[in-house]
Amino acid sequence: MLVWQQNASLKSFNTFGMEVKADWLVLIQDSSDLHELIRDERWQKMPRIILGGGSNVLFTQDFVGVVAILQTKGIAVLEENDEEVLVEVESGEIWHEWVMHCIEKGWGGLENLSLIPGSVGASPMQNIGAYGVEIKDVFVSLNAMHVVTGVECVFTHEQCAFGYRESVFKRAEKDRWIIKSVVFKLSKNPILKMEYGDIQKRLAERNIVHPGIADISEAVCTIRQSKLPDPKVLGNAGSFFKNPVIQKVLYQNLLSQYPTMPHYPVNAEYVKVPAGWLIEQAGWKGKKWETCAVHDRQALVLVNHAHAKGNEIWDLSSAIVADILEKFQIELEREVNVY
Ligand code: EPU
């Protein structure tokens, strides 16, 4: 039997720590509860949000509707041989705990995604990625339930239409599905991804010549802890903006003004530039704005310093967008979901 909390605080369910309320809050601990949720009139008739760890969301006001938090747990091996393992993970599992489980078992593929906040079910939504790996690299399929009909459906890799911080669940199928579980294929003889300069630096510091997945994970955790604020200490939602993809012509023009501007190749026509670099160049890094700020060690992250309101963060982000547009002719896109 589901417990419906009325006029409930969402403060502990969003990593920005916004003190907002939802008309109704429901915690889903067993996937069989989903049928009860979907049949409920409140769910059918009111606006609704499904959250996992609440690590990619900015609430600018109270939510008039139902917020369901997926907390379902379970990790099941579906198939296994000497080389690979196919594992189904329930959506409510905490992402980093799942990555640590893989490290303990010796299953490679997710070590570069250590310490990313959030839950397993949210990970395919925006194809989470870091240090040269994206979830699409180990993703097989996911099981989802339609938010209104309760029909269950498998989405294959292709159907998810993954892109940089993108999937079909942010586009054509937005707000239509509850992701119940995700199936991953992991390797017992993984090829490690360690091109990232900071990973190599950390391995060298520890004198590690033949690293394993645990060493890569340690390096990634150390790098993240040195740059990114811990949401338990300082409210934030990780990267607030996406790294913009711009035309090469614009990039070449900017390069003549800013010869050190970093970039990542995309294809013959486009390059990606780090939003953090643009924001820092424009002088925003570490800047305070009412009770929020641009993080002083990674300009891509906005932080809640005290009791910031969502609209203060929103206004800060809008000021940054306008300034970057004026200075670089680049329009930054927000990565977080704003309500
Ligand atoms: N940079 C600056 N100033 C800054 C931040 C970055 O000049 O304040 C420059 C760096 O010097 C570097 C470049 O920008 O040359 C890239 O910086 P970094 O390696 O920190 O990565 P990022 O592109 O800023 C992306 C992801 C992160 C992920 C890192 C590492 C996005 C939106 N963000 O950031 O993801 O951890 O790469 O792979 O793609 C997240 O999604 O929440 C997140 C933290």
Side-chain angles (χ1 to χ4, degrees):
M1 185 69 177
L2 277 181
V3 178
W4 289 74
Q5 301 173 48
Q6 192 166 15
N7 206 18
S9 169
L10 296 178
K11 188 174 165 66
S12 56
F13 298 107
N14 73 98
T15 58
F16 255 126
M18 291 301 152
E19 181 56 278
V20 288
K21 287 186 170 161
D23 283 358
W24 295 99
L25 175 69
V26 201
L27 309 185
I28 309 288
Q29 271 145 5
D30 190 317
S31 54
S32 61
D33 292 339
L34 286 173
H35 292 286
E36 188 185 331
L37 173 75
I38 281 172
R39 280 196 306 268
D40 195 284
E41 225 186 24
R42 288 164 285 196
W43 181 260
Q44 289 280 342
K45 293 200 169 143
M46 298 177 90
R48 46 188 172 243
I49 306 180
I50 302 138
L51 287 184
S55 56
N56 202 39
V57 63
L58 173 67
F59 285 106
T60 57
Q61 56 194 325
D62 289 343
F63 187 69
V64 182
V66 183
V67 176
I69 313 280
L70 274 189
Q71 297 180 327
T72 51
K73 304 278 185 216
I75 297 175
V77 173
L78 303 180
E79 281 174 41
E80 187 167 12
N81 60 30
D82 290 346
E83 266 118 53
E84 289 172 340
V85 57
L86 207 63
V87 193
E88 179 172 2
V89 188
E90 295 299 313
S91 283
E93 288 284 349
I94 292 168
W95 178 263
H96 181 64
E97 288 179 9
W98 155 234
V99 174
M100 289 298 105
H101 181 85
C102 292
I103 307 283
E104 268 164 41
K105 294 278 187 186
W107 301 337
L110 293 176
E111 53 283 356
N112 295 48
L113 304 182
S114 298
L115 219 56
I116 293 187
S119 66
V120 168
S123 63
M125 301 276 290
Q126 51 151 354
N127 181 27
I128 59 170
Y131 308 104
V133 175
E134 289 179 328
I135 181 194
K136 73 170 172 56
D137 303 334
V138 289
F139 176 96
V140 175
S141 62
L142 62 81
N143 300 299
M145 181 183 274
H146 193 274
V147 287
V148 178
T149 62
V151 164
E152 300 208 21
C153 184
V154 174
F155 282 78
T156 62
H157 195 292
E158 199 184 353
Q159 287 167 328
C160 288
F162 292 120
Y164 166 60
R165 295 294 198 271
E166 280 294 347
S167 77
V168 72
F169 303 103
K170 287 180 82 176
R171 300 276 171 191
E173 300 295 335
K174 191 170 164 42
D175 298 332
R176 291 201 191 147
W177 298 94
I178 300 172
I179 296 173
K180 288 180 62 187
S181 64
V182 184
V183 179
F184 298 92
K185 189 191 269 184
L186 301 157
S187 171
K188 294 185 182 174
N189 303 300
I191 299 167
L192 304 179
K193 291 249 173 89
M194 24 186 202
E195 300 81 41
Y196 217 85
D198 283 348
I199 293 187
Q200 290 179 9
K201 203 168 125 209
R202 178 63 187 158
L203 292 173
E205 265 169 24
R206 294 179 61 219
N207 296 317
I208 292 177
V209 185
H210 301 293
I213 55 175
D215 301 312
I216 303 292
S217 172
E218 192 282 339
V220 168
C221 291
T222 305
I223 301 163
R224 288 188 73 96
Q225 279 161 342
S226 72
K227 285 190 187 174
L228 298 165
D230 178 352
K232 289 192 198 91
V233 181
L234 205 54
N236 75 90
S239 302
F240 195 89
F241 302 99
K242 285 177 162 187
N243 285 335
V245 173
I246 61 167
Q247 289 207 308
K248 268 198 176 151
V249 190
L250 174 58
Y251 170 70
Q252 297 295 353
N253 280 344
L254 289 170
L255 207 56
S256 54
Q257 263 177 284
Y258 306 96
T260 59
M261 180 167 161
H263 76 288
Y264 316 107
V266 173
N267 57 31
E269 223 184 310
Y270 293 97
V271 295
K272 193 155 74 175
V273 293
W277 185 89
L278 296 168
I279 298 168
E280 179 170 350
Q281 288 297 309
W284 287 94
K285 195 169 184 173
K287 212 166 206 173
K288 299 254 182 337
W289 179 279
E290 299 182 37
T291 50
C292 53
V294 179
H295 190 49
D296 53 6
R297 279 175 283 150
Q298 163 55 291
L300 196 48
V301 178
L302 305 187
V303 295
N304 172 3
H305 262 297
H307 303 287
K309 295 267 184 286
N311 50 17
E312 290 169 19
I313 303 259
W314 174 262
D315 291 347
L316 169 58
S317 72
S318 301
I320 293 172
V321 171
D323 195 36
I324 299 300
L325 186 60
E326 196 193 315
K327 292 198 168 97
F328 299 96
Q329 302 87 54
I330 295 175
E331 188 161 7
L332 290 182
E333 194 187 328
R334 292 172 181 86
E335 200 207 275
V336 296
N337 298 310
V338 181
Y339 292 99

